[in-house]
Structure formats: C-alpha cells, structure tokens
Amino acid sequence: MRIHDLVQHQRTFYYTESTKPFSFRREQLNNLRNMIEEHEQSIIEALYKDLHKSEFESYTTEIGFLYSEITSALKNLKEWMKPQKVKTPLTHAGSKSYLYQEPYGVTLIIAPWNYPFQLALAPVIGALAAGNTVVLKPSELTPETSSLLKEMVNKWFDPAVFAVVEGDAEVSQELLEQRFDLIFFTGSVPVGKIVMEKASRHLTPVILELGGKSPTIVDEDANLDLAAKRIAWGKFTNAGQTCIAPDYLYVQRSVKPELLSKLKQAIKDLYGEDPLYNEEYSHIVNRRHFDRLSEYLNDGELIAGGERDEDITAIEPTILDHISWKDAVMQDEIFGPILPVLTFDDLGEVVAEVRDHEKPLALYYFSENEEKQEEILSKLSFGGGCINDTLFHVANPHLPFGGVGQSGVGSYHGKASFDAFTHSKGIVKQTTKFDLSIRYPGRKHGLKLI
Ligand code: NAD
C-alpha cells in the first residue's frame, strides 16, 4: 500500500471508533506480547546480526524491557482510561468537571538503530494503549531487525491499526509529508529538528527523544569501587551506542589515578583480556560510524583499549586522558566505546562547564555527600539521571523518561507513555436545573431557577 493510502486507511479505521474500547486496546497489547514471545529467538538472532548484541543484552535491554512495559500497561490501562473528576470552583456552581482521556488518532513513530527493537516498540505500547493507530518506521541501519519487525507486525496486526514502513531518510521524509495527529521520534538532534520543522506545517504535536553529551561526574568522596564498575557497565553496554551512556567522565583531581586504575580493572572484569572478540561485547553498527569513532582515538592520551578490528567494525572499550573541551571527541555526542576524561578541582567548575553546553539527556553524579548531590540536582538541568549509578533510571517505569532543551521534548515509559499518546480533554458538565446570571452583562446578579 502506498504511504498516503496507508495513512488514509488508518484514519478511516480510526473514525469507526473501534480503537477506543478497553477490550480492543487490551487485545492489541496482548497481541504485541504474543508476537514478541513467538519470535523471541528470531529477535535475538536479528540483533546479533545487526549489532553483535549478546543474548543476555538482547534480553535485558530489549525484549525484557518490553515485556515489563506491556505488563504494566495491561495492569493499569482501565484506570488510566477513566475520565478523571477534578475540582470545580464556586463560580461554576451546579456543574462538575472532568478530564477525558482521548487518543490523538493516527500516529507516526520513527525509530533509531541502537536498540532497534526496544526503541521501535516501546512507544508503540503507549500508542496502542492510548487507542491510537500507528505507522512505525524502523531504522535502515539495522536491516535484520527492521525486516523482522515488518514480518512480525504484518502477521499479528491489521495494518489499519499498526503497520511497519521500512526505509531510509527518504522514506522517512515521505512519511513526514503526511498529516499525522502525533509524531514520536527517537534519534539524533539534527534529524529531530527536521522532524519538528515538518510537523510544524500541520501543527502536529511531537515527542522528540534525542541525545547529547551526558556528563558523568566523580567527586572526591565517591565510592570509587562502585563508581568504576557502574561507569564501565553504563559506558560499554552496547559498545557505548546508548543514548544515555556516560559520554565523558569528569573526575576530581585527587581521586583520578585511583578511579582510572579501577576503571581499567572493571573493563577487564566485564569483557576479559580481549574484548574485541568477546561474545558479550557489541560491535559498531557500520563502517561509517566505525570510521567516525576511529578519528577520536587521535585525541588526548590513550590509557586503556584503543585496539580496533575493521573487518568486524569493533573498537575496544577505550579511555582517553588529558582531554579538553577543545578536542574533537568533546564536540559531539560520542555514541561509541570511547570515554574521554576531564579533571576538575572544584565542583563549581563542573557546574559552569555543563551549563555552558546544551542540556544533556542524562547526568550521573558519584558522591557520598547528600548536600553536594542536591546541589548538582538543583543547579544543573538535564533529562534525567542517577546519583551513584548510570543508566538505571531508564528502567524504572515510574520515572518518565525524556530530555530537556536540545536533548528532547516530552517523555514516556510507564504511565507517561499512555499520557504521551493521549490528549487530556477538559470538560465541564453543566446543570440545567438553574442558571447563575452573574456571567451575563447587564443582568441582575443572582440565581435564576429555570
Ligand atoms: P538518526 O537521527 O540518524 O535516525 C533516526 C531515524 O530518523 C531513522 O529511522 C532514520 O531513518 C530517520 N532519518 C534519518 N535522517 C532523516 C532525515 N533527514 N529526515 C527524516 N528522517 C530521517 O539517529 P540514529 O543514528 O538512528 O540514532 C542515534 C541518535 O539517537 C543519537 O543521537 C542518540 O542519542 C539518539 N537516541 C536517543 C534516544 C532517546 O531515547 N532519547 C534513544 C536512542 C537514540
């Protein structure tokens, strides 16, 4: 079906009102879960072919995440859908006020390649739970996962409700030419800007899940053993191709030598002596990104890793010391297994530097001092993050996930996913038993019985 016809087909179906009842939404969510269950092995194989992602990582960061989001949506959906009664002021005497939860209608979801399965379907859960129809465009850079998604969705869903359109930027642009009721985009900042611009022609609301350079700050009083383990894990999971990966390390001078030595050990503990050929270690998605990352290896002083294998597009977990904000590695989001290290003496310097750059998607601060923790949380703006950990906030369904400023617009996960795809319609239900003349000009104030 042509893209234009598909969108029309979904719109016609949407106006049959079929997507709105609880039973229909529950059926779609069950379908989604059954679809994933049936294809679990093929999903793991596709992720391995696309990114050399291990079975363990595929399960924990892609498949398992989706099961828990679907379970939470199924458990709470009835409650989320209910019109919610809100207070009514005295001036409105006689009436009652409500929020009605209304789907947007026909929605578009555009996905990236780094968690190509999870980041494609996690927003779909919110969209279907909220009673919308969905056109999903997966990333062309992970073709195995993209074609599997298409095959699975074709088998399990009516295209009037949920359809996959495969393709590259050109196809994405053609989709953006259509009139959707909401666009949910996950990807880079430059493409996010294109999406917002295209959406503005119809004033279509957008949710933009973007990226940026997420700082990881280790202060002098941090638990260094745990900081090293948790930073190494957060940075090198999926070979650093994670939107909320620690992008760079900012370490207090007095603990720097000890932290760096513990980080090197933590990398060995995670991936052994030869990480390039470790089955648990992901590869770089393609040659273009491999070459882009390789350029960064010329910056600063290499103190760990640095080995590459271009035949399999893999780069070792790498640490670069003596880095300054002027280095190439500090200009853009790294999105790979390279950790540059900056040094600070006073926390005030860190606050000033981070404020001087775009608001990051995530921030991680390691310290035992609660006052300083609160200082960081109050002074710096970022999407979300952790104190004394990395990545973990993304897996708590009670925490909305999203960016701020250039790292994104809007949020999702758990109830926030339902809210992201729902318009909350404010309604006053007025009495017809009496009429307060107070609002009418030139009339005597008072109560008029009808
Ligand atoms: P990308 O912006 O290059 O591509 C994302 C999607 O947009 C793909 O489906 C692609 O086909 C499409 N696209 C590419 N160029 C386009 C264009 N000119 N017009 C319209 N559509 C276009 O991003 P990516 O390389 O796939 O992903 C990496 C980026 O995504 C990183 O910046 C990362 O931080 C970010 N990201 C953010 C999150 C989050 O949840 N906030 C999650 C994962 C990745």
Side-chain angles (χ1 to χ4, degrees), residues 110-114 119 137-141 167-169 172-173 176 185-189 191 194-195 209-212 243 289 333 335 361 401 407 412:
I110 301 178
W113 52 263
N114 59 329
L119 291 172
K137 197 206 79 67
S139 171
E140 71 281 16
L141 299 195
D168 57 9
S172 200
Q173 299 263 351
L176 290 168
F185 170 81
T186 308
S188 61
V189 174
V191 180
I194 296 174
V195 170
E209 298 285 339
L210 310 177
C243 56
H289 282 283
E333 180 182 9
F335 224 56
L361 181 59
F401 175 77
S407 57
Y412 75 132

Side-chain angles (χ1 to χ4, degrees), residues 237-255:
T237 289
N238 203 28
Q241 301 165 114
T242 303
C243 56
I244 49 166
D247 186 90
Y248 59 93
L249 173 64
Y250 228 140
V251 57
Q252 213 282 339
R253 192 177 304 278
S254 64
V255 293

Side-chain angles (χ1 to χ4, degrees), residues 171-232:
V171 173
S172 200
Q173 299 263 351
E174 194 185 338
L175 282 162
L176 290 168
E177 292 300 324
Q178 313 305 311
R179 183 169 191 150
F180 285 93
D181 298 302
L182 180 119
I183 300 171
F184 187 107
F185 170 81
T186 308
S188 61
V189 174
V191 180
K193 288 179 183 172
I194 296 174
V195 170
M196 197 163 187
E197 211 178 308
K198 294 261 184 197
S200 74
R201 287 169 314 152
H202 299 298
L203 285 181
T204 302
V206 288
I207 291 168
L208 303 175
E209 298 285 339
L210 310 177
K213 290 184 87 63
S214 298
T216 299
I217 308 156
V218 179
D219 217 329
E220 56 193 338
D221 52 5
N223 177 328
L224 297 183
D225 285 316
L226 286 180
K229 253 165 79 173
R230 291 171 182 174
I231 293 169

